[in-house]
């Protein structure tokens, strides 16, 4: 039994289908309806978008397409959120998004009634460890480098299954609802 008191939640790739939204935008922008589905971390490269162009595409997708708010949450998000709140766990959204997307992010959370205890924009997801006593923080993530950094910081890190993290070792879940069930079970609740 582990008394998890605080959980960190990444948005993109965890509860928000960013790759799907950006894929839709790029299909329109590039005029290519059959772009391959994202399967690795740098999925845009397979679409002919260079690393140095990605930021410009992202800015345009934000301005022209509402890329950080156009889609609903991933399946299971509302149920998982409700489960965590019922457990009395504090929820900290920690996401690495550009400053231009901060208001869009807050609006998306409000629209879907996903009210976190804190909202932090940062690349360093280990910040979740500052919200809880040692050993009482958990975080769900899709990016293997962030996942591994969380483990090094003493956070109970959980990977949500995505094609770009397939095969990486660790505790894994299929959905945010599964993550909430995992936290429920860790806390030893009946």
């Amino acid at each position: 039994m582990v008394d998890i008191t605080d959980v960190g939640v990444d948005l993109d790739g965890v509860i928000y289908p960013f790759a799907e939204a950006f894929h839709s935008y790029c299909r329109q922008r590039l005029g290519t309806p059959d772009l391959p589905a994202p399967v690795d971390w740098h999925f845009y490269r397979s679409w002919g978008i260079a690393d140095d162009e990605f930021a410009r595409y992202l800015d345009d997708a934000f301005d022209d397409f509402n890329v950080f708010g156009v889609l609903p949450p991933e399946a299971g998000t509302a149920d998982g959120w409700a489960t965590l709140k019922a457990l009395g766990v504090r929820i900290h959204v920690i996401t690495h998004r550009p400053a231009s997307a901060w208001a869009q992010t807050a609006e998306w959370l409000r629209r879907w009634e996903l009210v976190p205890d804190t909202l932090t924009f940062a690349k360093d997801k280990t910040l979740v460890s500052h919200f809880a006593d040692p050993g009482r923080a958990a975080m769900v993530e899709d990016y293997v480098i962030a996942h591994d950094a969380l483990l090094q910081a003493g956070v109970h890190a959980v990977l949500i299954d995505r094609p770009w993290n397939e095969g990486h070792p660790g505790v894994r879940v299929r959905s945010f609802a599964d993550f909430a069930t995992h936290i429920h079970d860790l806390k030893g609740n009946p």
Side-chain angles (χ1 to χ4, degrees):
M1 186 168 114
V2 180
D3 187 19
I4 300 294
T5 59
D6 294 79
V7 298
V9 179
D10 180 31
L11 290 182
D12 300 319
V14 176
I15 65 171
Y16 183 73
F18 168 76
E20 182 182 332
F22 193 67
H23 184 253
S24 293
Y25 169 75
C26 287
R27 283 195 332 254
Q28 290 176 11
R29 179 173 177 161
L30 298 171
T32 309
D34 59 346
L35 286 178
V39 294
D40 63 33
W41 189 253
H42 298 286
F43 57 85
Y44 53 88
R45 291 175 182 165
S46 69
W47 305 340
I49 300 171
D51 290 346
D52 61 345
E53 295 176 305
F54 178 70
R56 185 170 37 89
Y57 270 71
L58 191 58
D59 286 344
D60 292 347
F62 167 77
D63 291 334
D64 303 337
F65 192 71
N66 189 29
V67 74
F68 293 111
V70 69
L71 295 177
E74 294 278 2
T77 298
D79 291 340
W81 202 277
T83 297
L84 292 171
K85 285 297 188 181
L87 290 171
V89 173
R90 290 180 296 267
I91 300 174
H92 307 280
V93 169
I94 304 173
T95 187
H96 185 214
R97 288 182 169 182
S100 59
W102 294 359
Q104 195 174 89
T105 301
E107 169 56 25
W108 182 83
L109 289 165
R110 186 203 58 74
R111 183 174 357 121
W112 293 101
E113 298 178 359
L114 303 172
V115 180
D117 292 279
T118 65
L119 173 57
T120 305
F121 296 93
K123 184 176 183 177
D124 180 6
K125 308 297 178 60
T126 66
L127 293 172
V128 70
S129 65
H130 298 289
F131 293 110
D133 290 335
R136 293 186 176 209
M139 181 144 184
V140 60
E141 178 63 66
D142 68 315
Y143 186 38
V144 297
I145 291 173
H147 169 267
D148 293 350
L150 287 159
L151 290 174
Q152 289 293 319
V155 175
H156 180 76
V158 177
L159 275 172
I160 193 162
D161 287 336
R162 298 293 182 248
W164 46 87
N165 64 35
E166 195 172 274
H168 194 76
V171 175
R172 303 182 76 85
V173 294
R174 292 183 319 268
S175 69
F176 191 69
D178 289 347
F179 172 70
T181 298
H182 176 71
I183 298 301
H184 175 274
D185 295 348
L186 276 178
K187 290 174 73 64
N189 286 300

